Structure formats: structure tokens, C-alpha cells
Amino acid sequence: MTQDAAGASKFSRRVAIAGTQHLGGAIHLLRVRFPEIAASALPGQFVEVKASEGSDPLLPRPFSVNQVDAHRQTFAFLYEALGCSTRQMAQKAAGDELLVTGPLGKPYPLEPDVCDEVVFVAGGLGIASFLFAAQTLKERGDPRPVRLLYGARSAESIVLTGEFERLGVRCEVATDDGSLGEKGLVTGLLERYLASDPRNPALYVCGPAPMLKAAAGIAEARGARCFLSLETYMGCGMGVCVGCTIKMKTGDGPDDFEYQRACVDGPVVDAARLIW
Amino acid sequence: MTAGRVDLTTRIGRLTLSNPVMTASGTFAFGREFAELYDLSLLGAIVVKGTSLEPRRGNPPPRIFETASGMLNAIGLQNDGVRSFLDEKLPFLRQFDTRVIVNIVGNRAGEYAELARILHDAQGVDALEINISCPNVEHGHAEFAGDPSATFTVVDAVRKATSKPILPKLSPNVTDIRVFARACEEAGADAVSLINTLVGTAIDIRTRRFRLANVTGGLSGPCIKPVALRMVYQTAQAVRIPVVGIGGIVTAEDAVEFLLAGATAVQVGTGNFVNPMAAPEIVEGIKGYLAERGLNSPSDIIGKVEKAI
């Protein structure tokens, strides 16, 4: 992607919805045809989507790229129809338009030299970005074992595990109510996995803030590399408003930090540098 | 008559723009991010993010919160300082055929003057917007924007430091904005930009905490447009220098309203976040509005609003 020269490496326009799918609970998948984004997005990146024509809600919202179909020039994202913006989205059908901008943000570091085992740790809708990551590793012919540790409230909110299994990802599931997999939190699965002394793993974690914080703590205690995909409240999503800042270490002193933008310096960050 | 006959050239005093659409300070950074979306030469001018003598770290998060048809922000003027602007940001902006207006911010009149002296020598800086109205920093609003004589002092100091066009940006958080616009005119400003954000706040009733770490923030977006439009209308009647209209402009229709109210040019702020393509779409939309009515220039509609009855 072009960083220093002028020229398009992000794209923004109104595009038609190519398809929708209800996956379970309040979770929906929405697919749009956007060839430039389908061709250039990387796992961990997101798009900004505005479903409303008017000013309520006003701002677009960030959604991780969930799957890319390069052949059909489409990509999909997941949403949970819980808020104002996502409930409007749930009213939309194929052919309706959305304002979409992307691809945005830093992707997951999935290069082979990062680790020997790839471990995705997902909480709730945090699952969204990992399917694209697993697809990408498969397409690259990456030989490393890939594992998914996945927690959600209940069975109906556990989605897409079949897709992961088809890609050869080893899945372990936990639910709060025990309706699927183990009863408990995904951090329990993570503790147990790391206690088994895996060989040079890297954790890629996405989910609600308390889960990210807990996972980062577990990773630190076990000396595992850990990358967090932050779900920070964003304004513009493209580095301009400086509203979504996170506190990042620049050294070891108490004042050695700077405010970085979650949208362009993240959303994927090294857990060891993040100050909670 | 066809759209081809419309000429959007806009003069703000000594400053000539290819069209009346600028991007507002703090909503466009230094252009680089938007240059990945469209050709910045489509814009009349870019007003860069508030720039201070020394770098500023900004306020702790949370810094923004969306409200009904608007958003609150309390960024705290995070920026890398004027030297970084000149060395790292200005060369990039100079590639484009647009005007670069630097929004300057300081704690004292002397700091504004120092910034003006530094920027006076910079090739590619076309004008200065004097930010005396940021509500989110310790100094700023209380000292300068809330007191007409302090406003005069700052604008006068900048006027003496540079011959480049200067545009003070006025706060709406005052009783009568016209008094401040006149103080700017007397101090030799080339134009006034208005409005900056309205001070507001929001509370999370679940946690019983303020939504912003700074407690208060600046409200922007479509919800402030009627207030901005009224102030632009009043100010345009009160001063002879041009008025640059800002406040909730998201579409060309919004921009045309401001021109009719008396603005010579407009700035798109929060609209850049709502639709990243808003600014170039507004340029085209204004052209279409004029063409449909057989008009040739934005000056044909500036201040041409009439009473309802």
C-alpha cells in the first residue's frame, strides 16, 4: 500500500449489498461487492460502514474484514444487530446501498518468522477477523499449525466454526452457559493451552476489552507473544481525527508513552507495548 | 446554460481559491490520509490541524463521543509542532494545486506572533488561520476568544508578524460573535472563519461517568448547523471582510445555505468523517446548483437570502 506517495490506496463509495446471512443470535454477515477492497485488504484490517443516509447515527462504524472472495470481487463483514447503526443494517437487503471506506488499519503480523504456532483467541464477535486470517494462511500454503480458542455467551453466538475446521484450524470452544464446548471463559482455554508448553506460539486476540486485558496478562505471565486487535471507539477510522487514541509505551519510564491512533497505528497492537 | 460555464473561483480578500470549499482544521490532519482517497487539488484550500510552536501530546482518552446528529471531541490539539509541520508535512501538501492554510495555536499573543514569523518565510503556506477558540485546552478560549480586546491583541500581533492573509477562527461560545468579528477586522484580519465547536458534554448513566476524560468537549456536526448559519448571517452583516462559514456542512445543500447566508467560502469539518468524499462532492454539488439556475459564480448567491415573508 502506498504510504508516502499521493494516489489511491483507500477507497470510499456507496456500494450495493451483494448478500446477507443470519449466522445465529444477533450475528449477521453482510457481503458487498467492492473489487478494490477485495483485492487489497489484509487480515486484521477493517472497513468503515455507514448504513444510514441521514445524520442518525452520524458516523460510520468500523467492521473487520471477515472473508474475501477475490473471484467475485466481494468481501464480507460480521455485525451484531444490537446498536442503532447495526439495527439499521439489519433492515437492509441485497441491492441496498452502504457507504463503505477501506481497507483501513494495520493487519495482523502473520509472517512465518513471528512464531511457530498461530493461535487465534476470539471473544464473541471478535471471531470476525480470524476467518480471513485463516483463509490467507491457507492460500499462502503456510505449514504452521493454526488453532482457534473461541468463547461466547452461548451456543447461538458461536459462528463459523465449520469454516475454520474446513481450513484445517483446530477449534476449541467455551461458552458462558456451557451450551456449547466447555463452560467458562475463553481465557480458561488459553491458560490450559499455554500450560501445555506449546513451541513458540503467537497469540492473536480479538474481543471485548476485559477479555483482551486478561489474555494479555496471561500471555505476559507465560512469556508468549501476543497481538491484540482493539475495539476502540473511533471517529474517522483513518487517522485524521485523533479521537481513538491509545496509550503506548515508548520506553520504561513512567512518562515514556505517547498517544497513538488505534485506527492507523492499530487496531492490531503488540500487547507488550499497550498501557491499559 | 451548461455546467461548463460555471467558474467557482473564489476570492477571500487577497487569497484566491479555485473553489469555495476548504477542509476544516482538525478534520483533515495534514492531507496525507485523504490523498489516498482523492486528488487534493480538487479542494479550494486545506486548513491543516492546529499547529503550535512545540509538540503537544493532547488529552487522555476517551476523546470523542457521538451525540444526536453530532459529535463531541476533546483532542487537546495533539500535534508535532511547527518545525515538524515545515519539515515533514508541508512538502507533501505542496505537490497539490490547492491552497494551504495553517491553523496556528498558542498560549500567549507572543507565541502566535512567533508562529506567524516562522510561517511567513515558508514557501507554500498561503494563509494563516488563527485558532483563538479551541475549547479543549487550558489556555485558549478563556483568554482570547472570550474577550474582544484579547482577540484584538492576538490578531494585531499576528498582523504585525506577517503580511500573509490571516483568518481568525471565532468561538460561538460568546454572547455576541459580531463584537469579536469587528475586533478582528480592526486588527487587520483579511477574513473571519466561524464557527468553532460549541462546548458541551455527555454522561454515561450506567457508569455515572462523563463520556470524555476532559469532561467537556467541542460539539460539531449537523446539530450545530442552524447556530452556525445564524452566526454567519449576523457576522456577514456586521463586517466588511469576508466570512468563511463552518458548522455541520455535510452536503452541497448545506454549503449553499451558508453562501446564501453571506459566507464567501465554506469549510467542511465533521462532514469529512461522515463521508470521506464529502468535500469534493460538495464542490461538484455547488457547481450543479449554480448551473441549474443559469448562474456563473458563487458570488451570484453570496448573501442573497431573503426574508420568508
Side-chain angles (χ1 to χ4, degrees):
Chain A
M1 287 217 296
T2 319
Q3 289 296 328
D4 295 316
S9 58
K10 293 193 291 260
F11 308 90
S12 180
R13 64 169 175 267
R14 291 168 189 88
V15 292
I17 295 171
T20 63
Q21 195 185 340
H22 178 227
L23 297 181
I27 303 173
H28 299 256
L29 177 149
L30 210 149
R31 191 181 295 281
V32 295
R33 188 171 181 284
F34 204 139
E36 300 92 330
I37 293 179
S40 62
L42 294 167
Q45 289 192 304
F46 65 96
V47 292
E48 284 269 329
V49 181
K50 182 168 161 65
S52 70
E53 268 298 310
S55 62
D56 182 30
L58 182 66
L59 301 173
R61 292 282 184 269
F63 297 90
S64 293
V65 175
N66 170 253
Q67 314 172 37
V68 166
D69 187 333
H71 178 66
R72 288 192 204 139
Q73 304 183 310
T74 63
F75 73 90
F77 62 90
L78 304 188
Y79 66 93
E80 213 163 0
L82 296 177
C84 179
S85 195
T86 45
R87 276 198 300 264
Q88 285 183 4
M89 222 170 248
Q91 302 299 312
K92 304 261 176 185
D96 290 348
E97 287 199 333
L98 299 171
L99 176 57
V100 177
T101 304
L104 302 166
K106 283 220 160 59
Y108 291 118
L110 292 170
E111 296 73 23
D113 59 344
V114 174
C115 64
D116 294 320
E117 277 195 34
V118 175
V119 185
F120 300 135
V121 185
L125 205 62
I127 191 69
S129 58
F130 294 129
L131 187 59
F132 185 24
Q135 276 182 339
T136 304
L137 290 171
K138 180 88 175 175
E139 277 162 23
R140 288 179 188 167
D142 195 308
R144 293 174 295 171
V146 183
R147 186 183 288 261
L148 171 67
L149 309 177
Y150 181 12
R153 247 167 279 131
S154 62
E156 63 170 15
S157 305
I158 295 285
V159 299
L160 300 172
T161 47
E163 313 290 323
F164 281 96
E165 280 162 1
R166 266 191 287 283
L167 291 165
V169 177
R170 186 166 162 190
C171 301
E172 284 182 65
V173 169
T175 50
D176 296 355
D177 61 3
S179 54
L180 192 67
E182 198 169 291
K183 184 171 172 18
L185 300 174
V186 68
T187 43
L189 301 178
L190 178 61
E191 293 263 23
R192 199 171 59 211
Y193 166 71
L194 289 176
S196 73
D197 276 328
R199 188 170 143 258
N200 187 27
L203 312 179
Y204 300 84
V205 191
C206 188
M211 175 236 165
L212 293 181
K213 194 172 177 180
I218 294 165
E220 191 185 1
R222 291 278 180 180
R225 292 202 73 177
C226 181
F227 302 98
L228 307 175
S229 177
L230 304 174
E231 295 185 345
T232 309
Y233 192 92
M234 289 181 188
C236 67
M238 50 188 268
V240 171
C241 75
V242 208
C244 61
T245 37
I246 46 176
K247 215 170 164 178
M248 297 293 282
K249 276 180 207 164
T250 53
D252 293 325
D255 205 42
D256 293 341
F257 73 89
E258 63 183 14
Y259 290 121
Q260 293 192 348
R261 298 158 295 179
C263 62
V264 290
D265 300 312
V268 178
V269 300
D270 188 336
R273 283 194 57 215
L274 182 68
I275 302 171
W276 292 90
Chain B
M1 214 160 286
T2 63
R5 294 211 39 195
V6 176
D7 179 358
L8 293 181
T9 303
T10 296
R11 285 180 191 81
I12 304 171
R14 297 172 290 146
L15 186 66
T16 302
L17 314 182
S18 62
N19 68 67
V21 180
M22 316 183 197
T23 51
S25 181
T27 66
F28 210 72
F30 298 90
R32 197 177 282 272
E33 295 80 5
F34 280 91
E36 292 178 22
L37 281 170
Y38 62 82
D39 180 3
L40 302 187
S41 303
L42 296 170
L43 299 169
I46 293 166
V47 187
V48 303
K49 180 156 175 58
T51 298
S52 49
L53 277 177
E54 300 302 326
R56 290 193 187 202
R57 197 181 245 174
N59 290 330
R63 292 176 168 187
I64 54 168
F65 184 70
E66 183 169 336
T67 57
S69 297
M71 68 180 279
L72 288 163
N73 88 79
I75 308 301
L77 294 169
Q78 179 172 345
N79 81 98
D80 295 334
V82 68
R83 293 292 167 196
S84 161
F85 167 74
L86 292 172
D87 295 342
E88 292 158 31
K89 283 130 185 167
L90 184 59
F92 177 80
L93 284 168
R94 289 191 63 191
Q95 305 172 67
F96 302 98
D97 183 17
T98 184
R99 299 296 182 187
V100 175
I101 300 177
V102 182
N103 181 286
I104 58 171
V105 60
N107 291 330
R108 296 178 309 279
E111 283 185 30
Y112 286 93
E114 178 64 16
L115 280 160
R117 273 191 291 275
I118 293 167
L119 291 163
H120 178 76
D121 297 323
Q123 289 284 317
V125 172
D126 296 295
L128 305 181
E129 182 173 77
I130 309 172
N131 186 350
I132 46 174
S133 48
C134 178
N136 301 325
V137 289
E138 209 174 315
H139 302 273
H141 179 261
E143 271 100 325
F144 305 124
D147 174 359
S149 66
T151 296
F152 179 90
T153 303
V154 172
V155 177
D156 182 58
V158 173
R159 179 72 296 160
K160 287 175 174 140
T162 182
S163 57
K164 285 188 173 168
I166 55 174
L167 303 80
K169 184 169 179 179
L170 302 179
S171 169
N173 305 301
V174 295
T175 308
D176 187 349
I177 200 166
R178 291 171 294 189
V179 175
F180 295 83
R182 285 194 207 103
C184 294
E185 185 173 37
E186 279 169 36
D190 295 84
V192 282
S193 309
L194 58 134
I195 58 175
N196 207 320
T197 54
L198 288 145
V199 181
T201 192
I203 295 169
D204 183 340
I205 62 166
R206 285 178 308 112
T207 61
R208 302 188 186 181
R209 289 171 190 250
F210 284 105
R211 296 285 193 177
L212 301 174
N214 193 54
V215 180
T216 60
L219 182 66
S220 64
C223 62
I224 72 164
K225 197 186 88 177
V227 177
L229 203 54
R230 183 265 296 180
M231 289 187 169
V232 164
Y233 174 67
Q234 287 182 326
T235 304
Q237 313 276 308
V239 295
R240 285 177 301 275
I241 53 176
V243 174
V244 177
I246 320 165
I249 299 174
V250 181
T251 65
E253 289 76 14
D254 297 328
V256 168
E257 275 191 77
F258 276 86
L259 297 176
L260 288 167
T264 300
V266 295
Q267 292 182 11
V268 182
T270 302
N272 293 309
F273 307 156
V274 177
N275 169 12
M277 302 301 287
E281 286 178 11
I282 289 169
V283 174
E284 281 311 300
I286 293 172
K287 193 185 262 187
Y289 176 89
L290 295 172
E292 280 166 26
R293 286 156 184 82
L295 302 170
N296 306 91
S297 161
S299 59
D300 295 334
I301 60 167
I302 293 169
K304 294 292 169 64
V305 64
E306 288 176 28
K307 295 230 164 89
I309 48 166

